Amino acid sequence: MLREIRERVSDANIYRVYAITLALGVAYGLAIAVLAVYLDQRGFGEIAIGKLAGFFAGGLVSFSLPLGALIRRFSAKKTLAAALFGYAVTISVFPLLSSFAAIAAVRFVDGACSVGVWVSSETILLTRAKREHKAYVTSLYAIAIAIGYVLGPLAARLATALMPLAYTFEVSGVIALLTSAYTALRLEHDSDATREPSTHASRTALAPARSTTGEILWRIKTSCFATFCYGYFQASVVLFLPLFLMKSKGISKEQTILIPAFFAAGMLLFSNYAGRLGDRRGHLAVMRVLGSIGLSMILAFVFLDSYSWMCAAVFVAGASLASISPVSLALQGVISPEHGRATSLYNSFYAVGILLGPLVSSQIFEARGGAAMLFHLAALWVGFVLFSIVFYKDDPAVQRLRGAPKADPPASEADALNG
C-alpha cells in the first residue's frame, strides 16, 4: 500500500497538504461534533440554528468565487496559511459570544476562512497531481479529512467529559493555529502554475486562451451539481440529525456525538477504493452508483430504531455519499486545466448547498419533523443520479472506454502554461 502511494504521489508538498488537512480535520471534527448540542443548550431552536448555518454558508458563497483571483495574486500557500489563521481566531472567539448577531458575524467569517482553506488546498493538489492519478490523490485527501473527522468527535467526547462544552472550541482553535504556522514554515512556494506571471509580456507568452467562466461552468457542471448536493446534505445532517435522534429516536446526547465518526469512518475506508475505480472506470459512473447507494441509506434511516443499525446506515452513507466528494473533485480536475478558477467555481456550488441546506431543512424539520427532512434529502440525491445519466458524456472516460480517444486537456495548470 505504501509503495503504491509513493509510486503515484511523488511530490512532497502533496504529503504536507495531507498533514495540514488531517490536523484541520481534527479541529473541524471537534467543533462540528458539539456545535448543534452547544447551540441547543444556549437556547437556540431549529430555525435559529438553521439561520446561523446560513451565515456560515454566506461566508462560503461570498468568498468562493474571488478566491481564484486571490490565489493567482498571492499564491495558494499564502492564502491557505491566512485562511487557517482566520479560522483559528473565529472558532476561539465563538464560545465567548452570546447574542445572535455576534455569533452570526463570527460564523460568516468562519465560512469565508473555511472556503479559503478548501480552495487553496485543492488547487495545490490538482495542480501538482498527475492527470492519471488525480482521483487517487484527491481520495487520499478525503481520507486525511475523514481521519480527522473520526478523531475529532472521539476527542470531543473525551473533552466534554473533562471540561465545559465551550472549551472544545478553544482546543479546535489551538490546533488550527499550529496548522497555520506549519503551512507558513513547511509548505513550499507555489509553482508558476498557481501564480499570475509577473508581467503582461510573460502572461501573453505563457498563458493559453482563457476560457470564460460560463465555459468552465458548463464543462464541470456534473461535478458542481454533485458537490452542491453533498454540501446541502452534509450541512443539513450535521445540524439536524443529532436533534432528530434525540427528539424522535430517544438517543442520548453522548451517543449522538459519535454519529459523525461513523460517517467519517465509512468515507475513510472506502474513498480510496472509489478514487481508484473512478480513475479506471470513469468518475461520473462511479459517482452515480455511490449516489444510488447513499440515497437508499437515507431512506432506510427513517425506519430504523436500533442505535447499532443507525450507526451501520450512517457508515454506509459515509462510504457512498462522502466518497462522491473526492471523485467529483478529480472529475473537474480532469475536465478543466484551469484548476484555480474551476476549483473556485466548484466550491461555490458546495457553498450554495451549505447555505440552502440548513435553511430549507430547518423549515421542513419544524413543520413536518425529522423524517420528512430525510425524505427530501433522499429526493435531492435522486435528482443528482438522474442528472448524471442525462449528462453522462461529460466524463472523458466515456470516450476512452468506448475505444474512441478524445484529446485530453493538459494534466495541470503547469502544463497549460507551458503550452
Side-chain angles (χ1 to χ4, degrees):
M1 179 66 176
L2 291 177
R3 181 180 179 182
E4 180 186 20
I5 293 174
R6 285 195 297 269
E7 289 175 351
R8 298 190 183 198
V9 185
S10 57
D11 192 325
N13 288 281
I14 292 179
Y15 293 105
R16 291 178 184 129
V17 172
Y18 291 158
I20 291 165
T21 301
L22 172 60
L24 188 65
V26 173
Y28 278 156
L30 275 162
I32 289 172
V34 300
L35 179 60
V37 175
Y38 176 76
L39 291 174
D40 186 58
Q41 288 184 356
R42 295 290 298 272
F44 293 96
E46 288 86 357
I47 297 295
I49 292 174
K51 289 180 179 179
L52 287 172
F55 280 97
F56 172 80
L60 297 179
V61 173
S62 299
F63 283 83
S64 57
L65 286 177
L67 277 167
L70 287 174
I71 288 172
R72 290 195 303 274
R73 175 66 179 84
F74 296 106
S75 84
K77 172 189 172 177
K78 291 179 181 178
T79 305
L80 178 57
L84 286 166
F85 180 79
Y87 173 77
V89 172
T90 55
I91 201 65
S92 299
V93 169
F94 173 72
L96 305 178
L97 307 175
S98 57
S99 70
F100 180 90
I103 293 175
V106 166
R107 291 292 285 159
F108 181 88
V109 178
D110 184 356
C113 294
S114 294
V115 77
V117 171
W118 302 335
V119 174
S120 301
S121 299
E122 291 163 11
T123 298
I124 293 170
L125 292 177
L126 290 176
T127 300
R128 294 179 179 274
K130 296 177 181 178
R131 186 181 191 281
E132 64 271 21
H133 299 316
K134 286 191 186 293
Y136 188 85
V137 168
T138 56
S139 70
L140 293 178
Y141 169 68
I143 286 174
I145 295 173
I147 293 174
Y149 278 20
V150 169
L151 296 177
L154 295 175
R157 184 167 186 178
L158 176 63
T160 54
L162 298 176
M163 62 184 72
L165 194 64
Y167 286 12
T168 306
F169 299 102
E170 307 294 347
V171 176
S172 176
V174 170
I175 295 173
L177 183 62
L178 294 175
T179 306
S180 176
Y182 176 84
T183 301
L185 295 173
R186 296 290 295 147
L187 200 64
E188 292 179 5
H189 291 294
D190 298 348
S191 69
D192 288 341
T194 55
R195 237 188 257 148
E196 281 287 352
S198 57
T199 67
H200 176 73
S202 62
R203 283 198 299 270
T204 303
L206 294 176
R210 283 163 57 89
S211 302
T212 66
T213 300
E215 288 170 341
I216 296 175
L217 178 58
W218 182 253
R219 197 178 299 147
I220 65 172
K221 60 184 176 295
T222 46
S223 286
C224 288
F225 192 19
T227 200
F228 168 80
C229 292
Y230 184 63
Y232 188 107
F233 166 79
Q234 182 190 47
S236 298
V237 297
V238 161
L239 289 174
F240 298 113
L241 187 59
L243 301 181
F244 172 66
L245 293 176
M246 288 188 292
K247 296 182 178 182
S248 300
K249 300 288 187 176
I251 304 299
S252 69
K253 180 188 77 172
E254 290 74 17
Q255 289 176 310
T256 63
I257 288 175
L258 291 177
I259 286 291
F262 286 97
F263 186 85
M267 178 183 182
L268 170 64
L269 295 177
F270 193 74
S271 60
N272 183 250
Y273 180 67
R276 284 185 289 178
L277 274 178
D279 283 333
R280 192 164 59 243
R281 302 301 302 170
H283 301 105
L284 191 54
V286 170
M287 290 156 59
R288 185 182 308 122
V289 173
L290 294 174
S292 300
I293 295 171
L295 71 89
S296 67
M297 288 299 101
I298 297 173
L299 293 173
F301 198 88
V302 176
F303 305 101
L304 296 174
D305 292 317
S306 165
Y307 179 73
S308 298
W309 280 109
M310 290 178 189
C311 291
V314 169
F315 175 85
V316 176
S320 53
L321 298 179
S323 294
I324 288 176
S325 183
V327 179
S328 66
L329 177 61
L331 175 60
Q332 70 94 355
V334 168
I335 293 173
S336 175
E338 299 177 69
H339 297 314
R341 296 173 67 201
T343 303
S344 180
L345 277 170
Y346 172 86
N347 276 281
S348 70
F349 275 81
Y350 181 61
V352 171
I354 291 178
L355 173 63
L356 294 180
L359 295 177
V360 177
S361 295
S362 63
Q363 297 291 335
I364 295 174
F365 194 112
E366 180 102 342
R368 301 290 182 179
M373 180 199 70
L374 291 175
F375 281 133
H376 108 279
L377 293 176
L380 177 71
W381 285 110
V382 170
F384 165 72
V385 171
L386 295 176
F387 191 84
S388 70
I389 293 172
V390 172
F391 294 105
Y392 74 99
K393 290 184 179 179
D394 279 11
D395 193 340
V398 172
Q399 285 79 23
R400 185 182 75 241
L401 295 174
R402 288 183 174 184
K406 185 178 180 180
D408 292 326
S412 70
E413 287 189 21
D415 299 330
L417 288 169
N418 290 326

